[in-house]
Amino acid sequence: MALQGKKLLCDKRFTVEGVLQHLDDSELKLSDSDDSGDETFNPSAAADMLTDENEDEIERPDEDEPSTSVNSGNKRQKKTQIKWRSLRGAFESSSELQDNLNLGDSLLSPSLYIFNYFNPEIFETFAEQTNIYHLRKTGKTLNTTTAEIQKFFGITIVTANLGFPRIRMYWQRATRVNAVADVMPVNRYFQLRNSIRINADPNPEQGTNKFWKVQPLINTVRSRCLKLPREEYNSVDKQMIPFTGRVPAKQYIRGKPNPVGVKNFVVCYTSGRADDFELYQGAGTGISEEHKHLGLGASIVLRLSETTPQHKTTSSVLIITLLA
């Protein structure tokens, strides 16, 4: 009864005749000779009698405002207004900031840094071996060139940094990237991607080299590392090259930032540049017959120390991190 009275009061505003009609339908009786002594009829008091005696009073809504739920304090809650302001100007480049940055005397472009490690001859080898592999596999000529191979690697670097879910999205209208789509058609890119090779020989080399398919590329990068200016202090340690594809020497090392990949033993300078490296291929990697009794860690340190120049000054120290 109390809930019905609340609903009626909130949905409809009663008149005196309406209240009297509800009173006539109920069991409540009113008389002029009532002992209460009331001489006048109060419609609001009669309406309150329709509810339970233990219920709190219900505030009647104003005529000019829609009915809403009312709290005990009969106070309206103010809406919190959020004002957004643009910070576009805070991220604009400042010439004063650029002048204060110390970027070094000779800063090369990213492409020049890449060509320092990948000489033009390696791209010629890629083009030649890719054409041989595609002809042997499909019986058709691919006719790729050194310039096209360079474009292919450029697109691969851009897509790897942007990280779209699908490679074809770089050519689609909604997600088109001009630096990719304007350089090479999508079908041509996938054709090169399926045939790219640096060693088209189907038969593996004699021995235990698990990287024989990419050994020319490894030799090119290592030869560039050996040409870097030498420093006096060095450190030997292992690192993980992130790789989740198929390779016989793939490793999983717990606790590393990149736990899955190829383990690499590397010697670095105090500046962070790599001087030499040795890819781990399993038991016996980098271990010569002369140092076999020393174990893996000491043998790798001695192997990578061979390319480190011996300084004549007595203050020169070779910092070595032993590999356990």
Side-chain angles (χ1 to χ4, degrees):
M1 183 65 182
L3 295 177
Q4 293 179 356
K6 288 182 180 181
K7 183 176 181 181
L8 290 173
L9 289 175
C10 293
D11 297 341
K12 184 177 180 181
R13 183 176 180 85
F14 287 104
T15 60
V16 175
E17 292 78 9
V19 174
L20 291 176
Q21 181 65 31
H22 282 285
L23 292 175
D24 293 338
D25 296 338
S26 65
E27 297 178 356
L28 183 64
K29 294 183 180 181
L30 295 177
S31 175
D32 294 336
S33 61
D34 194 353
D35 295 338
S36 62
D38 293 338
E39 297 180 357
T40 58
F41 173 71
N42 190 350
S44 60
D48 292 338
M49 297 177 65
L50 295 175
T51 62
D52 197 300
E53 293 181 357
N54 295 329
E55 294 289 337
D56 295 333
E57 291 187 5
I58 301 176
E59 182 184 7
R60 298 173 63 90
D62 298 335
E63 295 190 14
D64 296 336
E65 297 180 0
S67 60
T68 57
S69 60
V70 181
N71 55 16
S72 59
N74 295 333
K75 295 182 180 180
R76 289 184 175 275
Q77 295 181 354
K78 295 183 179 180
K79 294 183 178 180
T80 304
Q81 296 182 354
I82 301 176
K83 296 182 179 180
W84 300 92
R85 60 190 183 92
S86 176
L87 296 178
R88 186 178 303 173
F91 298 99
E92 295 179 355
S93 59
S94 174
S95 58
E96 182 179 357
L97 178 62
Q98 293 178 356
D99 294 339
N100 295 331
L101 291 177
N102 184 13
L103 301 179
D105 298 332
S106 57
L107 200 64
L108 304 179
S109 63
S111 60
L112 291 180
Y113 279 107
I114 292 176
F115 287 127
N116 282 339
Y117 286 87
F118 298 92
N119 52 43
E121 290 76 14
I122 198 65
F123 293 105
E124 294 178 2
T125 305
F126 266 110
E128 177 185 357
Q129 296 298 314
T130 300
N131 287 328
I132 295 174
Y133 175 80
H134 186 81
L135 181 62
R136 181 188 297 118
K137 181 180 179 181
T138 63
K140 301 178 182 179
T141 57
L142 185 61
N143 295 328
T144 186
T145 60
T146 302
E148 191 177 39
I149 293 297
Q150 292 177 355
K151 294 178 181 179
F152 170 82
F153 278 103
I155 292 175
T156 303
I157 293 174
V158 173
T159 55
N161 283 275
L162 294 180
F164 284 11
R166 296 182 60 188
I167 297 180
R168 292 186 180 272
M169 294 176 64
Y170 298 97
W171 283 268
Q172 294 176 354
R173 180 178 300 179
T175 55
R176 177 185 175 89
V177 178
N178 295 331
V180 173
D182 294 341
V183 174
M184 184 182 298
V186 59
N187 292 335
R188 182 62 174 179
Y189 176 80
F190 278 99
Q191 191 177 28
L192 291 174
R193 188 169 179 260
N194 294 331
S195 301
I196 192 72
R197 290 291 186 281
I198 196 173
N199 188 356
D201 191 355
N203 300 319
E205 297 179 355
Q206 298 295 330
T208 59
N209 185 8
K210 297 181 180 180
F211 299 102
W212 63 273
K213 288 187 177 181
V214 292
Q215 193 60 48
L217 183 63
I218 295 175
N219 295 337
T220 300
V221 176
R222 182 170 179 267
S223 63
R224 172 56 186 170
C225 292
L226 296 176
K227 294 179 181 179
L228 292 174
R230 295 293 188 263
E231 296 181 11
E232 185 175 358
Y233 299 98
N234 303 269
S235 176
V236 179
D237 204 347
K238 59 177 177 291
Q239 67 171 184
M240 289 296 293
I241 300 175
F243 186 74
T244 56
R246 292 181 299 177
V247 61
K250 186 168 63 175
Q251 295 265 317
Y252 172 77
I253 300 180
R254 184 187 304 175
K256 291 289 185 180
N258 300 294
V260 180
V262 178
K263 184 163 67 173
N264 184 32
F265 300 110
V266 60
V267 54
C268 295
Y269 301 132
T270 54
S271 59
R273 295 181 302 179
D275 175 28
D276 197 2
F277 60 88
E278 180 75 28
L279 296 175
Y280 181 74
Q281 302 185 37
T285 300
I287 300 179
S288 61
E289 292 295 332
E290 181 182 0
H291 304 133
K292 188 176 182 179
H293 63 285
L294 298 176
L296 177 61
S299 299
I300 287 294
V301 171
L302 293 175
R303 150 69 183 83
L304 295 177
S305 301
E306 294 176 357
T307 58
T308 302
Q310 301 296 326
H311 292 269
K312 296 181 180 180
T313 57
T314 57
S315 60
S316 63
V317 177
L318 177 64
I319 301 177
I320 299 175
T321 302
L322 293 179
L323 309 174

